[in-house]
Amino acid sequence: MNITIRRSDQDDFTAILSLIKEFAVFQKTPEKVTITLEQMEKERELFESFVAETAENKIIGFASFYFTFFSWSGKGMFLDDLYVTEFYRHQKIGSRLLNAVIKLAKEEGCKKMRWQVSGWNENAIGFYKSIGATIDAVEINCNLDLIDVSG
């Protein structure tokens, strides 16, 4: 199967948004997706990702990320989402997407990468452990939605 991994551009946003919604269903939290195509376009300078694309130009996976600064280690990369649509899983596409992000992080001088994984997703946990990632059972996510917060 001929799959190309490349940096995304604004023309890919419709397909990526569809995959974001598909990923949220996979995570059993579709109600949490509030992003719109218009918002993605307006905030495009903040959205970075790699996409996996078939020979027929169909986007079947993505890895979104951003550069950050970790106070304990310095410049870093945060992998926001990594998703491959179900039909194309178990073909090393997720590995290729992740490797593209890792390669970019190294080229940009990042000292560390960080991301989240759902505790129930044993396949993903095993995949991340297989590349040498440490799964932290101490940290707990904190989220504060600023859209609906009063005050």
Side-chain angles (χ1 to χ4, degrees):
M1 179 170 299
N2 187 15
I3 302 293
T4 300
I5 306 297
R6 64 170 176 80
R7 289 289 283 266
S8 67
D9 59 39
Q10 190 172 342
D11 292 338
D12 300 322
F13 284 2
T14 300
I16 293 169
L17 181 57
S18 178
L19 288 176
I20 289 169
K21 291 177 179 178
E22 188 178 312
F23 184 36
V25 170
F26 172 78
Q27 290 285 101
K28 301 171 184 60
T29 58
E31 71 284 353
K32 290 188 176 183
V33 176
T34 61
I35 190 82
T36 63
L37 183 59
E38 294 76 21
Q39 185 180 356
M40 287 179 77
E41 290 169 348
K42 181 179 176 186
E43 299 172 355
R44 67 183 167 269
E45 72 280 355
L46 297 172
F47 183 77
E48 296 198 57
S49 70
F50 284 96
V51 293
E53 185 175 51
T54 66
E56 298 78 30
N57 298 342
K58 179 180 179 185
I59 295 175
I60 51 94
F62 75 103
S64 57
F65 59 89
Y66 57 88
F67 292 96
T68 189
F69 186 85
F70 297 116
S71 59
W72 289 13
S73 57
K75 184 176 182 180
M77 174 81 70
F78 192 91
L79 175 67
D80 186 44
D81 282 326
L82 173 63
Y83 181 74
V84 175
T85 196
E86 186 174 9
F87 181 80
Y88 292 93
R89 290 186 198 142
H90 308 291
Q91 299 177 46
K92 306 289 185 196
I93 297 167
S95 294
R96 291 179 60 202
L97 284 164
L98 182 58
N99 286 335
V101 177
I102 292 169
K103 181 177 185 263
L104 177 63
K106 287 179 177 180
E107 289 171 354
E108 294 293 327
C110 294
K111 310 291 186 276
K112 174 189 217 174
M113 276 185 62
R114 180 177 286 166
W115 62 92
Q116 300 167 321
V117 61
S118 296
W120 58 264
N121 194 340
E122 293 180 16
N123 286 338
I125 291 169
F127 168 56
Y128 295 141
K129 284 182 177 179
S130 76
I131 65 162
T134 303
I135 309 298
D136 185 344
V138 176
E139 303 292 331
I140 298 174
N141 294 320
C142 299
N143 292 299
L144 176 62
D145 291 328
L146 299 176
I147 297 171
D148 298 318
V149 175
S150 349

